[in-house]
Amino acid sequence: TKDGECVTVVTTKDASSLQEISNEYNANLVIGADGMNSKVRQCLHNAPPGTWSSNCVKSTKFQPKTYTSPASFLRIKVLQLPPQFEIPDANGKPPLKTFSQDIYAIRSVNTGPRTFLSLGLLPMKDNEAVRPTNIITRPDHGIWKITNGKSMREYFQQAFPRFNFQEGGLISNQEWDRFAKAEGTRFPPCQYSPGLAVWDESGRSGVALVGDSIHAFSPDIGQGVNAGLMDVVCLDRALAGFDDVESGNDNDTTATDKTKKQTTSTTLEANLQRYQKQHAPEIAALIRLARFGAPYQYKQPHRADRALRLVWTANVAMRLLLNKVSFGVIQPPCIILSQNEDLTFRQVMRRADRTTALLKTIVLAGLTLWAKRRFGLALFRALP
Protein backbone atom coordinates (compact mmCIF):
# COMPACT_ATOMS: atom_id res chain seq x y z
CA THR A 1 0.00 0.00 0.00
CA LYS A 2 1.02 3.64 -0.44
CA ASP A 3 0.83 6.10 2.43
CA GLY A 4 1.82 9.72 1.80
CA GLU A 5 5.51 9.74 1.01
CA CYS A 6 6.32 6.15 1.90
CA VAL A 7 5.35 2.62 0.92
CA THR A 8 3.86 0.40 3.61
CA VAL A 9 4.60 -3.33 3.33
CA VAL A 10 2.37 -5.69 5.29
CA THR A 11 3.63 -9.25 5.77
CA THR A 12 1.35 -12.08 6.86
CA LYS A 13 3.88 -14.87 7.32
CA ASP A 14 7.23 -15.12 9.01
CA ALA A 15 9.83 -16.07 6.38
CA SER A 16 11.57 -18.63 8.60
CA SER A 17 8.76 -20.22 10.64
CA LEU A 18 5.90 -19.60 8.15
CA GLN A 19 3.68 -18.74 11.11
CA GLU A 20 0.75 -16.41 10.51
CA ILE A 21 1.81 -12.98 11.79
CA SER A 22 1.28 -9.34 10.82
CA ASN A 23 4.14 -6.89 10.47
CA GLU A 24 4.26 -3.48 8.85
CA TYR A 25 7.33 -1.81 7.38
CA ASN A 26 7.55 1.71 5.93
CA ALA A 27 10.07 2.66 3.26
CA ASN A 28 10.57 5.19 0.49
CA LEU A 29 11.59 2.45 -1.93
CA VAL A 30 10.55 -1.20 -1.87
CA ILE A 31 12.45 -3.63 -4.12
CA GLY A 32 10.61 -6.80 -5.09
CA ALA A 33 13.06 -9.67 -5.54
CA ASP A 34 10.71 -12.45 -4.45
CA GLY A 35 10.81 -14.88 -7.35
CA MET A 36 8.76 -15.76 -10.41
CA ASN A 37 5.54 -15.90 -8.37
CA SER A 38 6.28 -12.50 -6.86
CA LYS A 39 3.74 -11.27 -4.30
CA VAL A 40 5.05 -7.74 -4.78
CA ARG A 41 4.33 -7.91 -8.51
CA GLN A 42 0.87 -9.34 -7.82
CA CYS A 43 0.12 -6.41 -5.48
CA LEU A 44 1.12 -3.96 -8.22
CA HIS A 45 -1.07 -5.79 -10.72
CA ASN A 46 -4.07 -5.72 -8.36
CA ALA A 47 -3.58 -2.13 -7.19
CA PRO A 48 -6.79 -0.04 -7.38
CA PRO A 49 -6.80 2.88 -9.84
CA GLY A 50 -5.17 5.99 -8.38
CA THR A 51 -2.84 4.10 -6.05
CA TRP A 52 0.21 5.20 -8.02
CA SER A 53 1.10 8.16 -10.21
CA SER A 54 -0.75 8.58 -13.48
CA ASN A 55 2.68 8.66 -15.17
CA CYS A 56 3.34 5.03 -14.24
CA VAL A 57 2.72 2.09 -16.52
CA LYS A 58 -0.75 0.60 -16.18
CA SER A 59 -1.31 -2.06 -13.53
CA THR A 60 -2.03 -4.57 -16.32
CA LYS A 61 1.65 -4.32 -17.32
CA PHE A 62 2.48 -6.32 -14.17
CA GLN A 63 0.67 -9.35 -15.53
CA PRO A 64 3.54 -11.53 -16.84
CA LYS A 65 3.68 -12.38 -20.52
CA THR A 66 4.20 -16.13 -20.76
CA TYR A 67 5.63 -18.19 -23.63
CA THR A 68 6.41 -21.88 -23.99
CA SER A 69 9.79 -23.02 -25.30
CA PRO A 70 10.83 -26.61 -26.12
CA ALA A 71 12.58 -26.70 -22.72
CA SER A 72 9.60 -25.45 -20.70
CA PHE A 73 8.16 -27.86 -18.10
CA LEU A 74 10.98 -30.40 -18.38
CA ARG A 75 11.46 -32.21 -15.07
CA ILE A 76 14.81 -32.43 -13.33
CA LYS A 77 16.26 -34.17 -10.30
CA VAL A 78 19.82 -34.88 -9.20
CA LEU A 79 21.64 -38.18 -8.64
CA GLN A 80 24.81 -37.98 -6.53
CA LEU A 81 27.83 -39.80 -7.99
CA PRO A 82 31.11 -40.27 -6.08
CA PRO A 83 34.01 -37.90 -6.78
CA GLN A 84 36.34 -38.85 -9.63
CA PHE A 85 34.21 -41.84 -10.61
CA GLU A 86 35.33 -43.84 -13.63
CA ILE A 87 33.48 -44.32 -16.93
CA PRO A 88 34.10 -47.88 -18.23
CA ASP A 89 35.20 -48.27 -21.84
CA ALA A 90 33.10 -50.50 -24.10
CA ASN A 91 36.17 -51.79 -26.00
CA GLY A 92 38.06 -53.11 -23.00
CA LYS A 93 40.39 -50.13 -22.73
CA PRO A 94 41.21 -48.57 -19.35
CA PRO A 95 38.26 -46.62 -17.88
CA LEU A 96 38.07 -42.84 -18.14
CA LYS A 97 38.60 -41.13 -14.80
CA THR A 98 36.42 -38.06 -14.36
CA PHE A 99 37.56 -34.70 -13.01
CA SER A 100 35.39 -32.01 -11.47
CA GLN A 101 36.38 -29.23 -13.89
CA ASP A 102 35.20 -31.21 -16.93
CA ILE A 103 31.72 -31.45 -18.46
CA TYR A 104 30.26 -34.87 -19.20
CA ALA A 105 27.11 -36.08 -20.96
CA ILE A 106 26.57 -39.84 -20.72
CA ARG A 107 23.76 -41.27 -22.88
CA SER A 108 21.74 -44.38 -22.10
CA VAL A 109 21.37 -47.40 -24.38
CA ASN A 110 17.63 -46.71 -24.35
CA THR A 111 16.54 -44.43 -27.16
CA GLY A 112 12.76 -44.47 -26.91
CA PRO A 113 10.62 -41.33 -26.36
CA ARG A 114 9.94 -42.32 -22.74
CA THR A 115 13.06 -44.35 -21.94
CA PHE A 116 16.03 -42.26 -23.15
CA LEU A 117 18.20 -40.88 -20.34
CA SER A 118 21.24 -38.63 -20.19
CA LEU A 119 23.55 -38.08 -17.23
CA GLY A 120 24.64 -34.43 -17.33
CA LEU A 121 27.57 -33.31 -15.18
CA LEU A 122 28.56 -29.65 -15.01
CA PRO A 123 32.02 -28.45 -13.91
CA MET A 124 32.82 -27.94 -10.22
CA LYS A 125 35.75 -26.41 -8.35
CA ASP A 126 36.36 -29.13 -5.74
CA ASN A 127 37.72 -32.32 -7.28
CA GLU A 128 37.07 -34.23 -4.02
CA ALA A 129 33.38 -33.31 -3.82
CA VAL A 130 30.44 -35.53 -4.71
CA ARG A 131 29.38 -35.02 -8.36
CA PRO A 132 25.75 -33.93 -8.77
CA THR A 133 24.36 -35.48 -11.95
CA ASN A 134 21.38 -33.82 -13.62
CA ILE A 135 18.61 -36.07 -14.89
CA ILE A 136 16.37 -33.99 -17.18
CA THR A 137 13.42 -35.55 -18.99
CA ARG A 138 9.93 -34.92 -20.30
CA PRO A 139 7.26 -35.28 -17.57
CA ASP A 140 5.99 -38.57 -19.06
CA HIS A 141 9.34 -40.37 -18.70
CA GLY A 142 9.31 -43.74 -16.97
CA ILE A 143 11.61 -42.77 -14.07
CA TRP A 144 8.89 -40.55 -12.56
CA LYS A 145 6.75 -43.64 -11.94
CA ILE A 146 9.49 -45.40 -9.94
CA THR A 147 9.33 -44.67 -6.22
CA ASN A 148 11.66 -47.21 -4.59
CA GLY A 149 15.44 -47.41 -4.68
CA LYS A 150 15.76 -51.05 -5.78
CA SER A 151 13.61 -50.59 -8.88
CA MET A 152 15.37 -47.33 -9.74
CA ARG A 153 18.79 -48.97 -9.43
CA GLU A 154 17.71 -51.83 -11.71
CA TYR A 155 16.31 -49.34 -14.24
CA PHE A 156 19.60 -47.43 -14.38
CA GLN A 157 21.63 -50.64 -14.60
CA GLN A 158 19.67 -51.63 -17.70
CA ALA A 159 19.97 -48.12 -19.19
CA PHE A 160 23.72 -47.78 -18.47
CA PRO A 161 25.08 -51.37 -18.57
CA ARG A 162 28.74 -50.32 -18.46
CA PHE A 163 28.40 -48.92 -14.94
CA ASN A 164 28.28 -51.06 -11.82
CA PHE A 165 24.92 -49.98 -10.45
CA GLN A 166 24.39 -53.30 -8.71
CA GLU A 167 23.84 -53.43 -4.95
CA GLY A 168 27.06 -52.37 -3.23
CA GLY A 169 28.35 -50.82 -6.44
CA LEU A 170 29.05 -47.24 -7.50
CA ILE A 171 26.05 -45.71 -5.70
CA SER A 172 24.77 -46.58 -2.24
CA ASN A 173 21.29 -47.98 -1.55
CA GLN A 174 20.53 -44.88 0.53
CA GLU A 175 21.23 -42.63 -2.45
CA TRP A 176 19.05 -44.75 -4.74
CA ASP A 177 16.21 -44.52 -2.20
CA ARG A 178 16.60 -40.75 -1.87
CA PHE A 179 16.71 -40.27 -5.64
CA ALA A 180 13.68 -42.49 -6.28
CA LYS A 181 11.54 -40.59 -3.75
CA ALA A 182 12.69 -37.13 -4.84
CA GLU A 183 10.04 -35.17 -6.74
CA GLY A 184 12.61 -32.86 -8.33
CA THR A 185 11.41 -29.66 -9.95
CA ARG A 186 10.20 -28.37 -13.32
CA PHE A 187 11.66 -25.81 -15.68
CA PRO A 188 9.44 -22.72 -15.81
CA PRO A 189 7.90 -21.27 -18.96
CA CYS A 190 9.57 -18.20 -20.42
CA GLN A 191 7.87 -15.21 -18.83
CA TYR A 192 8.53 -11.54 -18.19
CA SER A 193 6.75 -8.58 -16.67
CA PRO A 194 6.52 -5.49 -18.93
CA GLY A 195 6.12 -3.40 -15.78
CA LEU A 196 9.25 -2.89 -13.67
CA ALA A 197 8.52 0.06 -11.37
CA VAL A 198 5.87 2.42 -9.97
CA TRP A 199 5.95 5.63 -7.93
CA ASP A 200 3.44 7.85 -6.16
CA GLU A 201 2.21 11.31 -7.18
CA SER A 202 4.76 13.02 -4.93
CA GLY A 203 7.63 11.22 -6.67
CA ARG A 204 9.21 10.43 -3.29
CA SER A 205 8.23 6.78 -2.86
CA GLY A 206 7.95 3.80 -5.16
CA VAL A 207 8.44 0.12 -5.88
CA ALA A 208 10.90 -1.58 -8.27
CA LEU A 209 11.19 -5.22 -9.36
CA VAL A 210 14.37 -7.20 -10.08
CA GLY A 211 15.39 -10.80 -10.76
CA ASP A 212 12.90 -13.61 -11.25
CA SER A 213 10.04 -11.31 -10.30
CA ILE A 214 10.37 -9.75 -13.77
CA HIS A 215 11.81 -12.65 -15.78
CA ALA A 216 11.96 -16.43 -15.52
CA PHE A 217 13.05 -19.08 -18.00
CA SER A 218 14.67 -22.51 -18.25
CA PRO A 219 18.44 -22.65 -17.65
CA ASP A 220 19.55 -23.63 -21.17
CA ILE A 221 21.07 -20.24 -22.11
CA GLY A 222 22.99 -20.01 -18.80
CA GLN A 223 21.95 -16.40 -18.17
CA GLY A 224 19.68 -16.67 -15.12
CA VAL A 225 22.07 -15.37 -12.46
CA ASN A 226 23.69 -12.92 -14.88
CA ALA A 227 20.33 -11.42 -15.82
CA GLY A 228 19.30 -11.04 -12.18
CA LEU A 229 22.57 -9.34 -11.27
CA MET A 230 22.24 -7.04 -14.28
CA ASP A 231 18.78 -5.98 -13.07
CA VAL A 232 20.37 -4.90 -9.78
CA VAL A 233 23.18 -3.08 -11.58
CA CYS A 234 20.76 -1.22 -13.87
CA LEU A 235 18.48 -0.25 -10.97
CA ASP A 236 21.51 0.98 -9.03
CA ARG A 237 22.61 3.07 -12.01
CA ALA A 238 19.11 4.49 -12.37
CA LEU A 239 18.95 5.43 -8.69
CA ALA A 240 22.40 7.02 -8.96
CA GLY A 241 21.15 9.23 -11.81
CA PHE A 242 22.95 7.65 -14.77
CA ASP A 243 21.51 8.65 -18.13
CA ASP A 244 22.03 5.21 -19.67
CA VAL A 245 21.30 2.45 -17.17
CA GLU A 246 22.40 -0.32 -19.55
CA SER A 247 25.88 1.00 -20.39
CA GLY A 248 26.49 3.10 -17.28
CA ASN A 249 27.14 6.30 -19.25
CA ASP A 250 26.36 9.57 -17.46
CA ASN A 251 26.28 12.85 -19.35
CA ASP A 252 26.22 14.95 -16.17
CA THR A 253 29.88 15.53 -15.43
CA THR A 254 29.84 18.29 -12.83
CA ALA A 255 29.45 17.68 -9.13
CA THR A 256 26.87 20.49 -8.97
CA ASP A 257 24.64 18.81 -11.53
CA LYS A 258 24.81 15.50 -9.68
CA THR A 259 24.01 17.15 -6.38
CA LYS A 260 20.97 18.83 -7.89
CA LYS A 261 19.89 15.51 -9.31
CA GLN A 262 19.93 13.83 -5.94
CA THR A 263 18.27 16.64 -3.97
CA THR A 264 15.30 17.43 -6.22
CA SER A 265 11.96 16.09 -4.96
CA THR A 266 11.31 14.22 -8.19
CA THR A 267 14.62 12.37 -8.26
CA LEU A 268 13.19 8.96 -7.34
CA GLU A 269 10.34 9.32 -9.84
CA ALA A 270 12.71 10.29 -12.66
CA ASN A 271 15.12 7.50 -11.81
CA LEU A 272 12.42 4.82 -11.65
CA GLN A 273 11.00 6.12 -14.94
CA ARG A 274 14.42 5.69 -16.52
CA TYR A 275 14.72 2.15 -15.14
CA GLN A 276 11.28 1.28 -16.53
CA LYS A 277 11.83 2.85 -19.93
CA GLN A 278 15.35 1.59 -20.63
CA HIS A 279 15.44 -1.80 -18.94
CA ALA A 280 12.02 -3.19 -19.95
CA PRO A 281 13.05 -3.69 -23.63
CA GLU A 282 16.18 -5.48 -22.42
CA ILE A 283 14.05 -7.95 -20.44
CA ALA A 284 11.82 -8.60 -23.48
CA ALA A 285 14.94 -9.36 -25.58
CA LEU A 286 16.25 -11.69 -22.85
CA ILE A 287 13.07 -13.77 -23.00
CA ARG A 288 13.30 -14.01 -26.81
CA LEU A 289 16.86 -15.29 -26.40
CA ALA A 290 15.67 -17.83 -23.81
CA ARG A 291 12.95 -19.09 -26.16
CA PHE A 292 15.13 -19.60 -29.23
CA GLY A 293 18.76 -19.72 -28.02
CA ALA A 294 19.43 -23.38 -27.16
CA PRO A 295 16.18 -25.12 -26.17
CA TYR A 296 17.11 -28.58 -27.51
CA GLN A 297 20.38 -29.12 -25.68
CA TYR A 298 18.68 -31.63 -23.35
CA LYS A 299 18.09 -34.02 -26.29
CA GLN A 300 14.36 -34.26 -25.60
CA PRO A 301 13.48 -37.71 -27.02
CA HIS A 302 9.91 -37.25 -28.30
CA ARG A 303 9.68 -37.75 -32.03
CA ALA A 304 8.51 -34.19 -32.58
CA ASP A 305 11.45 -33.00 -30.46
CA ARG A 306 13.89 -34.92 -32.61
CA ALA A 307 12.51 -33.49 -35.86
CA LEU A 308 12.50 -29.92 -34.54
CA ARG A 309 15.99 -30.37 -33.09
CA LEU A 310 17.24 -31.19 -36.60
CA VAL A 311 15.65 -27.98 -37.89
CA TRP A 312 17.16 -25.95 -35.05
CA THR A 313 20.59 -27.55 -35.58
CA ALA A 314 20.45 -26.84 -39.33
CA ASN A 315 19.57 -23.21 -38.63
CA VAL A 316 22.49 -22.82 -36.23
CA ALA A 317 24.90 -24.57 -38.60
CA MET A 318 23.79 -22.40 -41.54
CA ARG A 319 24.28 -19.19 -39.58
CA LEU A 320 27.72 -20.30 -38.44
CA LEU A 321 28.68 -21.16 -42.02
CA LEU A 322 27.40 -17.83 -43.36
CA ASN A 323 29.30 -16.03 -40.62
CA LYS A 324 32.52 -17.75 -41.71
CA VAL A 325 32.16 -17.26 -45.46
CA SER A 326 31.11 -13.62 -45.04
CA PHE A 327 34.10 -12.95 -42.76
CA GLY A 328 31.82 -11.88 -39.94
CA VAL A 329 29.48 -9.61 -41.93
CA ILE A 330 26.60 -12.03 -41.31
CA GLN A 331 26.12 -12.55 -37.59
CA PRO A 332 26.41 -15.97 -35.88
CA PRO A 333 23.46 -17.52 -33.97
CA CYS A 334 22.07 -15.63 -30.99
CA ILE A 335 23.32 -18.25 -28.51
CA ILE A 336 26.88 -17.55 -29.72
CA LEU A 337 26.34 -13.78 -29.67
CA SER A 338 25.09 -13.99 -26.06
CA GLN A 339 28.60 -15.05 -24.99
CA ASN A 340 29.94 -11.62 -25.98
CA GLU A 341 29.99 -9.68 -22.72
CA ASP A 342 30.08 -6.36 -24.59
CA LEU A 343 26.62 -6.90 -26.10
CA THR A 344 23.31 -6.29 -24.36
CA PHE A 345 20.47 -8.75 -24.90
CA ARG A 346 18.78 -6.22 -27.19
CA GLN A 347 21.93 -5.95 -29.31
CA VAL A 348 22.19 -9.74 -29.47
CA MET A 349 18.64 -10.16 -30.74
CA ARG A 350 18.87 -7.22 -33.16
CA ARG A 351 21.90 -8.78 -34.81
CA ALA A 352 20.21 -12.18 -34.95
CA ASP A 353 17.08 -10.55 -36.42
CA ARG A 354 19.13 -8.95 -39.18
CA THR A 355 20.41 -12.38 -40.19
CA THR A 356 16.86 -13.74 -40.07
CA ALA A 357 15.65 -10.92 -42.33
CA LEU A 358 18.48 -11.65 -44.78
CA LEU A 359 17.64 -15.37 -44.88
CA LYS A 360 13.96 -14.61 -45.47
CA THR A 361 14.89 -12.27 -48.32
CA ILE A 362 17.09 -14.93 -49.91
CA VAL A 363 14.36 -17.57 -49.64
CA LEU A 364 11.72 -15.20 -51.03
CA ALA A 365 13.97 -14.20 -53.94
CA GLY A 366 14.67 -17.85 -54.69
CA LEU A 367 10.97 -18.74 -54.69
CA THR A 368 10.23 -15.77 -56.96
CA LEU A 369 12.87 -16.82 -59.49
CA TRP A 370 11.64 -20.41 -59.40
CA ALA A 371 8.03 -19.30 -59.95
CA LYS A 372 9.01 -17.05 -62.87
CA ARG A 373 10.84 -19.92 -64.57
CA ARG A 374 8.12 -22.43 -63.78
CA PHE A 375 5.05 -20.42 -64.72
CA GLY A 376 6.50 -17.77 -67.00
CA LEU A 377 6.15 -14.01 -66.92
CA ALA A 378 2.44 -13.87 -67.78
CA LEU A 379 1.37 -14.58 -64.22
CA PHE A 380 3.48 -11.75 -62.82
CA ARG A 381 2.25 -9.28 -65.44
CA ALA A 382 -1.35 -10.14 -64.55
CA LEU A 383 -0.84 -9.41 -60.87
CA PRO A 384 -2.04 -5.91 -59.74
Side-chain angles (χ1 to χ4, degrees):
T1 61
K2 182 225 0 145
D3 181 19
E5 295 183 1
C6 70
V7 179
T8 302
V9 180
V10 180
T11 62
T12 57
K13 281 188 178 181
D14 179 74
S16 57
S17 65
L18 299 182
Q19 294 179 348
E20 296 290 338
I21 60 173
S22 180
N23 290 323
E24 291 190 7
Y25 305 92
N26 295 325
N28 295 108
L29 176 63
V30 173
I31 297 177
D34 51 337
M36 64 175 292
N37 298 315
S38 170
K39 295 293 184 183
V40 177
R41 187 188 66 233
Q42 292 175 24
C43 289
L44 299 180
H45 176 251
N46 297 326
T51 302
W52 303 104
S53 170
S54 58
N55 294 328
C56 298
V57 295
K58 296 180 179 179
S59 61
T60 54
K61 293 294 185 180
F62 293 95
Q63 174 66 38
K65 292 188 175 183
T66 302
Y67 305 90
T68 299
S69 86
S72 297
F73 310 115
L74 293 178
R75 296 187 68 176
I76 176 175
K77 60 179 176 178
V78 175
L79 180 66
Q80 304 284 2
L81 291 177
Q84 303 178 48
F85 70 93
E86 295 182 342
I87 302 175
D89 187 89
N91 299 317
K93 296 180 181 180
L96 173 67
K97 186 176 182 179
T98 60
F99 295 94
S100 63
Q101 68 270 21
D102 295 330
I103 299 175
Y104 301 92
I106 306 171
R107 314 300 188 190
S108 69
V109 296
N110 301 331
T111 59
R114 294 174 179 83
T115 59
F116 173 79
L117 280 176
S118 179
L119 307 181
L121 295 94
L122 297 176
M124 298 171 51
K125 184 176 181 180
D126 187 357
N127 200 39
E128 302 299 325
V130 172
R131 289 301 298 271
T133 306
N134 295 323
I135 312 295
I136 303 172
T137 73
R138 286 289 184 193
D140 60 354
H141 195 282
I143 66 166
W144 301 106
K145 300 178 182 179
I146 303 174
T147 57
N148 68 84
K150 182 176 182 296
S151 298
M152 186 66 77
R153 175 169 52 80
E154 292 173 350
Y155 188 95
F156 269 71
Q157 185 62 74
Q158 185 277 327
F160 300 94
R162 289 198 222 168
F163 286 98
N164 179 16
F165 287 150
Q166 300 292 340
E167 185 170 2
L170 188 64
I171 299 174
S172 68
N173 290 339
Q174 291 82 0
E175 174 58 18
W176 284 120
D177 286 334
R178 182 206 63 79
F179 178 75
K181 295 174 182 177
E183 291 293 328
T185 189
R186 296 173 186 261
F187 289 169
C190 298
Q191 70 174 44
Y192 76 97
S193 170
L196 308 187
V198 294
W199 50 90
D200 68 357
E201 292 291 353
S202 72
R204 295 187 178 92
S205 64
V207 180
L209 301 177
V210 296
D212 287 353
S213 64
I214 51 174
H215 51 70
F217 46 90
S218 54
D220 31 279
I221 62 172
Q223 295 292 335
V225 174
N226 293 342
L229 292 175
M230 199 62 203
D231 297 338
V232 176
V233 170
C234 291
L235 178 58
D236 178 67
R237 288 170 176 169
L239 295 175
F242 283 79
D243 294 301
D244 187 340
V245 303
E246 300 300 327
S247 67
N249 293 331
D250 187 6
N251 295 331
D252 289 338
T253 57
T254 67
T256 302
D257 288 337
K258 292 185 178 181
T259 301
K260 288 180 180 179
K261 228 181 213 185
Q262 296 178 5
T263 57
T264 179
S265 61
T266 59
T267 294
L268 182 61
E269 175 183 356
N271 292 343
L272 291 180
Q273 278 184 323
R274 195 159 49 253
Y275 176 64
Q276 169 69 51
K277 181 179 180 180
Q278 296 184 21
H279 198 52
E282 184 74 1
I283 299 304
L286 166 65
I287 294 304
R288 287 191 61 218
L289 173 63
R291 293 171 61 195
F292 305 114
Y296 288 107
Q297 64 172 277
Y298 308 106
K299 293 186 71 68
Q300 297 93 314
H302 285 184
R303 291 180 176 86
D305 290 324
R306 295 177 181 181
L308 292 173
R309 184 169 65 245
L310 288 176
V311 175
W312 176 83
T313 303
N315 177 50
V316 171
M318 178 173 56
R319 290 173 186 249
L320 286 172
L321 178 62
L322 291 173
N323 176 254
K324 293 293 184 182
V325 299
S326 68
F327 299 98
V329 174
I330 298 177
Q331 297 297 311
C334 59
I335 190 61
I336 302 298
L337 288 169
S338 67
Q339 299 173 22
N340 185 341
E341 61 183 15
D342 295 325
L343 297 179
T344 66
F345 294 124
R346 291 179 72 187
Q347 291 170 333
V348 166
M349 296 314 297
R350 282 173 179 170
R351 295 187 182 195
D353 287 344
R354 285 200 294 267
T355 302
T356 300
L358 174 62
L359 294 176
K360 288 181 177 179
T361 301
I362 293 174
V363 170
L364 182 60
L367 290 174
T368 302
L369 290 175
W370 173 83
K372 289 178 69 174
R373 291 183 178 180
R374 178 69 175 81
F375 301 106
L377 297 177
L379 174 63
F380 291 91
R381 289 172 179 169
L383 292 176

